Amino acid sequence: MSASEYQFNQKHLLGLTDYSKEDILYVLDQAKYFREILDRPVPKVPTLRDKTIVNLFYENSTRTRLSFELAQKRMGADVVNFSASTSSTKKGESLKDTIQNISSMKIDMVVVRHESPGVPHFLTKCVDAAILNAGDGAHEHPTQALLDMFTMQQIHPDLSGKKIAIIGDISHSRVVRSNIIGLTKLGAKVVICGPKTLMPVFVSDLGVSVSHNLEETLAWCDIAMALRIQLERQGNTTELFPTLREYHERFGIKLKHLEAYPDFKIMHPGPINRGVELESEVADSDRAVILNQVTNGVAVRMAALYLLSGGNRV
Ligand code: CP
């Protein structure tokens, strides 16, 4: 398909499974324009001034929630924030009733984070609004993967053939699932690395290579993304690895690795467990692009909101 024939026809952003390589590259391309706006003295455009968006968060968040809200406000949208802990959910109201009542207030788009996989898909059956998945259980976190790929493109503009290592708690991570789907569509080579106990049972179905050796992985890769050890999703961690200290010894990225392997950059979706996935000095080093990821998150979410609101190429 030539670039002139391509049309972005997505109504929702439920996961990267439903997005083609062309869709992903298109969102990333649009995000460049919004990233440039963020550096202007007045980082605002009136693109969504006729839109009303609800941020429906059933799970805690700092980066995703605030960057979606900033993205919406910088594009002039009317924004309402729903927090399950202070809502009528606490009185037993169902998810379906909640979203249908909110929809009756005339909203155009819903950003949803929920601990249950599939909730964003379910919402598409309940209301007409465009649905954006801000993380559903251990299933997908598409805007995180898009901002990760955008950040990787700033280092290596063409990700085809680039060597990306994703290290840590693979089995509980929605970030790794969305990144594997997106990166492999863009032609990157992906290795996932971590203890056997933190690999999912379906690891061979993921279409990527698996390593249990951190040093070999870091010597190989162009970019290493460490994942948070998700203590809240693991239940009894003592069944998965002996101690956090031992995990850090075997799979934590340390200053000695930066010296031994001078080329790779470090990413982390956050929040970081300092001293577990990354030695604290590594997180603060100039090899880490972790705060760039956060800035880029606003631009990528502006692009996704713009395109799903029916916008054309900017
Ligand atoms: N990366 C990420 O999803 O962070 P939050 O949980 O703070 O949104």
Side-chain angles (χ1 to χ4, degrees), residues 36-79:
E36 185 258 312
I37 286 177
L38 295 180
D39 286 333
R40 291 182 187 171
V42 182
K44 293 194 174 198
V45 281
T47 331
L48 295 184
R49 71 179 160 218
D50 58 340
K51 302 292 179 198
T52 303
I53 306 175
V54 59
N55 296 315
L56 197 68
F57 275 69
Y58 282 82
E59 219 188 47
N60 294 343
S61 169
T62 298
R63 279 147 291 271
T64 311
R65 181 174 176 148
L66 291 183
S67 72
F68 261 118
E69 190 174 340
L70 264 177
Q72 294 151 2
K73 288 183 171 168
R74 286 185 172 167
M75 299 172 86
D78 288 325
V79 181

Side-chain angles (χ1 to χ4, degrees), residues 129-293:
I131 309 293
L132 288 89
N133 181 358
D136 60 332
H139 178 226
E140 277 224 44
H141 193 350
T143 57
Q144 178 67 46
L146 287 165
L147 76 88
D148 293 336
M149 290 186 277
F150 185 89
T151 307
M152 291 174 195
Q153 281 186 331
Q154 289 179 324
I155 305 165
H156 301 291
D158 182 1
L159 293 180
S160 177
K162 288 290 167 260
K163 294 176 272 187
I164 314 296
I166 308 179
I167 299 156
D169 187 352
I170 307 298
S171 60
H172 298 93
S173 173
R174 54 195 174 208
V175 175
V176 76
R177 283 179 58 81
S178 290
N179 263 293
I180 287 173
I181 295 164
L183 284 166
T184 52
K185 283 181 180 176
L186 299 195
K189 295 178 185 161
V190 181
V191 163
I192 51 175
C193 174
K196 287 186 179 140
T197 49
L198 292 181
M199 293 289 164
V201 284
F202 54 85
V203 68
S204 58
D205 298 339
L206 292 174
V208 297
S209 304
V210 180
S211 169
H212 305 296
N213 185 312
L214 179 66
E215 278 71 24
E216 278 177 16
T217 302
L218 295 179
W220 168 84
C221 70
D222 297 310
I223 295 173
M225 188 192 309
L227 297 175
R228 184 170 69 89
I229 295 294
Q230 306 213 10
L231 299 172
E232 77 280 13
R233 293 209 184 117
Q234 288 183 11
N236 184 359
T237 56
T238 55
E239 289 172 7
L240 299 177
F241 50 83
T243 63
L244 290 174
R245 189 176 159 162
E246 181 170 321
Y247 177 85
H248 180 66
E249 271 313 303
R250 285 202 55 205
F251 292 100
I253 303 177
K254 307 172 195 67
L255 279 178
K256 68 176 184 185
H257 295 128
L258 303 193
E259 286 156 18
Y261 314 112
D263 295 328
F264 74 93
K265 298 280 188 196
I266 297 154
M267 297 175 60
H268 192 302
I272 303 170
N273 294 308
R274 284 178 182 257
V276 181
E277 302 98 46
L278 302 176
E279 215 167 52
S280 196
E281 294 81 358
V282 168
D284 297 330
S285 76
D286 59 10
R287 297 273 290 278
V289 293
I290 296 166
L291 294 178
N292 295 358
Q293 288 174 261

